[in-house]
Amino acid sequence: MSDRKCLECSDKVVGRIDKKFCSDYCRNAYNNKVNKESKNLIRNTNNRLRKNYKILTELNPSGKTKVSRRKLFDHGFDFQFFTSIYTTKTGNVYYYIYDQGYLILENELYLLIKKDN
């Protein structure tokens, strides 16, 4: 029988032959370290999406309105983060954050819309 050591704290592991950790605490601590970077990326992306969604919701209470690029920018809108793109048959490109979307118009204006589900 071999002496197995915990991947987190190096204590002796007792139990099943395929057991890698001495406790739930060590298993969680190890996995949290391993997944930290990817979790941070996901958390930061979700935070930016949430902020964009909130801005579009606040600026578009009626479900359809026009705003300037400056107004979106002043509210902290980040144009790099959206959840989907929809291109119409006529070639108009709508960017969506969930059900809140925008269409780029002329003269730095944006049409904000809410998609009906």
Side-chain angles (χ1 to χ4, degrees), residues 29-44:
Y30 178 85
N31 286 321
N32 285 340
K33 277 191 237 171
V34 168
N35 297 322
K36 184 179 180 185
E37 285 187 25
S38 64
K39 284 183 181 178
N40 282 340
L41 173 66
I42 292 167
R43 182 176 32 254
N44 290 339

Side-chain angles (χ1 to χ4, degrees), residues 58-76:
E58 288 173 359
L59 295 178
N60 187 21
S62 66
K64 187 173 185 180
T65 191
K66 289 181 185 177
V67 297
S68 68
R69 178 178 175 83
R70 170 58 52 200
K71 191 167 193 175
L72 286 166
F73 209 72
D74 287 348
H75 278 79

Side-chain angles (χ1 to χ4, degrees), residues 8 30 39 55 60 94 97:
E8 177 64 16
Y30 178 85
K39 284 183 181 178
I55 292 166
N60 187 21
Y94 288 85
I97 295 98

Side-chain angles (χ1 to χ4, degrees), residues 5-9 11-14 19-31:
K5 294 192 185 283
C6 176
L7 294 178
E8 177 64 16
C9 71
D11 278 357
K12 184 178 178 183
V13 174
V14 179
K19 195 171 175 184
K20 299 176 183 177
F21 304 97
C22 66
S23 67
D24 287 339
Y25 176 83
C26 280
R27 179 177 44 82
N28 286 330
Y30 178 85
N31 286 321

Side-chain angles (χ1 to χ4, degrees), residues 36-100:
K36 184 179 180 185
E37 285 187 25
S38 64
K39 284 183 181 178
N40 282 340
L41 173 66
I42 292 167
R43 182 176 32 254
N44 290 339
T45 300
N46 284 337
N47 285 340
R48 288 186 175 131
L49 287 171
R50 192 176 298 114
K51 183 176 181 182
N52 277 357
Y53 185 83
K54 183 179 178 211
I55 292 166
L56 291 181
T57 302
E58 288 173 359
L59 295 178
N60 187 21
S62 66
K64 187 173 185 180
T65 191
K66 289 181 185 177
V67 297
S68 68
R69 178 178 175 83
R70 170 58 52 200
K71 191 167 193 175
L72 286 166
F73 209 72
D74 287 348
H75 278 79
F77 192 83
D78 190 333
F79 292 93
Q80 294 180 11
F81 290 88
F82 48 87
T83 56
S84 64
I85 299 174
Y86 174 72
T87 305
T88 65
K89 291 178 184 175
T90 59
N92 290 329
V93 179
Y94 288 85
Y95 297 86
Y96 281 94
I97 295 98
Y98 307 111
D99 63 340
Q100 295 286 341

